[in-house]
Amino acid sequence: DVTLLVIGDQSTVGTDKAFQGQYYREVATVGEHFDRDNLDPVGAQLDLLKAVVAASPNVIVVLIHGRPMTFGAGPGDGYNKAYTDAAAVLAAWHPGEEGGAAVWNILSGEVNPSGRTAHTWPRTVGQVHQYVPYYLEQRTRPITNQYADFAPATPLVPFGWGLSYTNFTLGKVGLLNAAGSPCDERAKGCNVSLADGTFSVQIDVSNTGKVDGKLVVQVYFSQQLASRVRFSQMLLEFAKVSVKAGATVTATIPVPLTNLEMWSKGDDKYVVESAVYDIMVGQWAYDPKMAHHQLTVA
């Protein structure tokens, strides 16, 4: 047997405008000017989730929500144990009028999910300042170090994370110059000029499962030496690649050099600095199998 549990927030957008004043504020739990001091489910929903998960080993949690969520972040709740004990969690956000059909199509297997998190989900509100973006954490605390109360320092859900009914592997990864020719990275990396305006990432994507699926290939970058402090890893580009079961496709992802830009106060505009950039390609932000390449912009 499978238990389907739907929890989450009531948006101000979907709340009847007849509910005004204080009652309106009591009904809605997320929206503009509806800030909260914690990210756990509102009201008794966390207690309900913990009770259902304890009673059934096959709980699918569907979240109807408007913000990242935690699920009992403190030690008394086992540091989000209700989340890790659930068989699956589907983040539906506020999916609109066709949301019911979309959710059912994913749960029934009619559609193979391919969405990825566009936010880092912290384990507790105490991590929020360290995970906006997630890689700021690397500047302040190694992710292998627990907090003083023994809570894990890793995020609950990392940026770019998502599951599928199949599995993917990334094969050969290379950089192409503006002309579309492979770079000779054995010599001195991939060299492009600002006048070129673009380069490309070429990658082999294999579907090793038995179900057709789509993978979001994610390209990140880090500037080795910059005129100002930049985050140690930032999203550069991404592409959703469709792959039949058992097949391998070669995807080419164009990357405008403007994606490397940052604001220059002195120039009063966005600029791309002539520098060496590390280019990383993987399936999510903290993918241990991330492929690393080097790009020199002159």
Side-chain angles (χ1 to χ4, degrees), residues 108-179:
S108 65
E110 182 71 21
V111 172
N112 191 356
S114 59
R116 296 296 183 267
T117 51
H119 313 77
T120 297
W121 292 30
R123 291 183 182 274
T124 171
V125 291
Q127 285 184 323
V128 168
H129 69 290
Q130 294 179 332
Y131 288 123
V132 186
Y134 160 58
Y135 279 92
L136 181 59
E137 168 72 8
Q138 292 188 343
R139 303 287 191 184
T140 60
R141 184 185 194 87
I143 61 174
T144 55
N145 288 3
Q146 292 180 325
Y147 290 100
D149 60 355
F150 304 106
T154 53
L156 182 63
V157 184
F159 181 88
W161 175 259
L163 297 178
S164 169
Y165 293 138
T166 189
N167 295 301
F168 298 94
T169 59
L170 301 182
K172 181 180 178 181
V173 180
L175 303 184
L176 309 179
N177 58 27

Side-chain angles (χ1 to χ4, degrees), residues 34 92 177 250 293:
F34 278 72
N177 58 27
T250 299
H293 292 264

Side-chain angles (χ1 to χ4, degrees), residues 196-257:
D196 291 333
T198 187
F199 72 98
S200 298
V201 175
Q202 192 170 74
I203 183 168
D204 292 339
V205 182
S206 298
N207 183 340
T208 60
K210 299 181 180 180
V211 181
D212 297 348
K214 299 177 182 178
L215 175 68
V216 178
V217 179
Q218 300 167 36
V219 183
Y220 296 86
F221 82 97
S222 176
Q223 186 171 341
Q224 290 189 5
L225 182 63
S227 62
R228 55 171 291 185
V229 176
R230 307 193 73 177
F231 294 117
S232 60
Q233 186 165 334
M234 293 173 280
L235 182 67
L236 179 64
E237 190 58 87
F238 63 94
K240 184 171 287 191
V241 181
S242 298
V243 190
K244 296 289 186 181
T248 298
V249 300
T250 299
T252 301
I253 306 172
V255 182
L257 289 181

Side-chain angles (χ1 to χ4, degrees), residues 10-29 34:
Q10 172 62 54
S11 171
T12 57
V13 176
T15 303
D16 191 334
K17 296 303 180 182
F19 297 137
Q20 297 295 332
Q22 183 62 31
Y23 184 59
Y24 175 75
R25 295 198 61 85
E26 290 175 355
V27 172
T29 59
F34 278 72

